[in-house]
Amino acid sequence: MSEIAVTFDFGQTLTELDCDFLARRLAQRDIEVRPDALLAALPDAWRAYDVASAAGTEGGHPWHLLMHKLLQGAAVDSALVPSTVEWLWNEQPKCNLWRKPIPGMIEVVRKIAQGGTKVAVISNSEGKLAQLAEEMGWQSDFEIIADSGRLGFAKPGPKIFQWTSRALGIAPENFIHVGDSWAADVEGVLGVGGRALWFAGASTPPPLPTGATDSPRVRVCHSASDVERALRAWRLPFSR
């Protein structure tokens, strides 16, 4: 068994926001918004989320800010936004919006696990991530699902990485963490001595933070194939 563990963020790394599903959910509240309008508003919403994640969650989960920015950017009536965000938040545990698989990512997870490496999820979520993974048929692919909503501590703080370390029996400095948020994922795992694959996604990536390409402990990936290549370059064993 490898002494390395590979951990994955969930939303925007293994799955992405399903804008078609969100548009259907909004229609249930008589709010008509096109999925393409939601897609167009996502980049600005994620930038706001990253700023909030870096600042910590003491003022409330940054999910709320993300969704406010997203609905406002998609031209939803501003008077309806606060109550709609609260409704979506309350519904999130049973109707998680981050349910659209990112192409190829779960296949990479399975190759890693079949190669003998422990694989886990470390996610800032709402407490029902294990249930979503089970709904998607993914729960058995991960040894641990560390959900901040259940644990009471979140990335980028060290506690969630340390909790996962104890659960896996692998030191956090031996983690390779794959995630989309520079503030929560990359800085989080670097802070406990591990390595990071910054999953910038398939679209045009945001500007790289200062020094992002200088660290030997960070690689930037835009697809599942990039993630697999980067892990192989770090000599991680894969199944054939």
Side-chain angles (χ1 to χ4, degrees):
M1 179 66 70
S2 169
E3 292 303 316
I4 299 294
V6 181
T7 62
F8 288 82
D9 181 37
F10 202 88
Q12 299 305 119
T13 301
L14 297 174
T15 62
E16 61 188 342
L17 177 65
D18 190 331
C19 289
D20 292 304
F21 182 70
L22 174 55
R24 293 195 299 272
R25 295 289 289 154
L26 293 172
Q28 293 175 14
R29 290 178 64 90
D30 298 321
I31 298 172
E32 299 298 327
V33 60
R34 301 188 317 276
D36 62 333
L38 293 166
L39 280 170
L42 264 176
D44 284 343
W46 278 116
R47 279 189 283 272
Y49 177 91
D50 277 345
V51 170
S53 294
T57 59
E58 289 80 2
H61 201 292
W63 191 99
H64 292 82
L65 177 60
L66 168 72
M67 199 56 60
H68 269 89
K69 293 289 186 182
L70 178 60
L71 297 185
Q72 289 170 347
V76 172
D77 184 342
S78 59
L80 300 176
V81 168
S83 61
T84 302
V85 170
E86 192 62 28
W87 175 74
L88 289 169
W89 173 256
N90 291 334
E91 291 285 298
Q92 179 73 356
K94 62 182 180 182
C95 292
N96 195 301
L97 301 174
W98 273 260
R99 58 175 57 241
K100 184 178 180 180
I102 291 178
M105 288 299 286
I106 194 62
E107 289 77 14
V108 171
V109 168
R110 289 167 180 165
K111 287 181 183 180
I112 295 167
Q114 290 164 10
T117 298
K118 291 184 177 181
V119 186
V121 167
I122 301 177
S123 181
N124 289 355
S125 194
E126 300 82 39
K128 298 288 186 178
L129 198 54
Q131 289 88 330
L132 176 62
E134 183 175 12
E135 180 185 337
M136 297 178 72
W138 290 4
Q139 190 168 28
S140 63
D141 293 309
F142 304 101
E143 302 225 4
I144 298 294
I145 295 180
D147 181 339
S148 68
R150 289 184 62 85
L151 296 173
F153 35 79
K155 300 173 294 183
K159 288 184 179 180
I160 196 164
F161 293 97
Q162 293 163 349
W163 183 92
T164 307
S165 169
R166 291 191 295 271
L168 293 176
I170 293 177
E173 58 263 31
N174 291 333
F175 283 6
I176 299 172
H177 182 66
V178 187
D180 68 291
S181 171
W182 183 269
D185 294 303
V186 177
E187 292 184 348
V189 75
L190 293 181
V192 295
R195 290 177 283 176
L197 298 184
W198 185 33
F199 190 72
S203 59
T204 303
L208 291 174
T210 302
T213 58
D214 296 338
S215 172
R217 295 194 289 144
V218 179
R219 297 288 184 273
V220 182
C221 300
H222 304 288
S223 66
S225 296
D226 283 354
V227 171
E228 182 170 343
R229 279 192 291 270
L231 292 172
R232 287 184 184 277
W234 275 339
R235 301 183 181 277
L236 194 79
F238 275 76
S239 67
R240 294 186 177 180

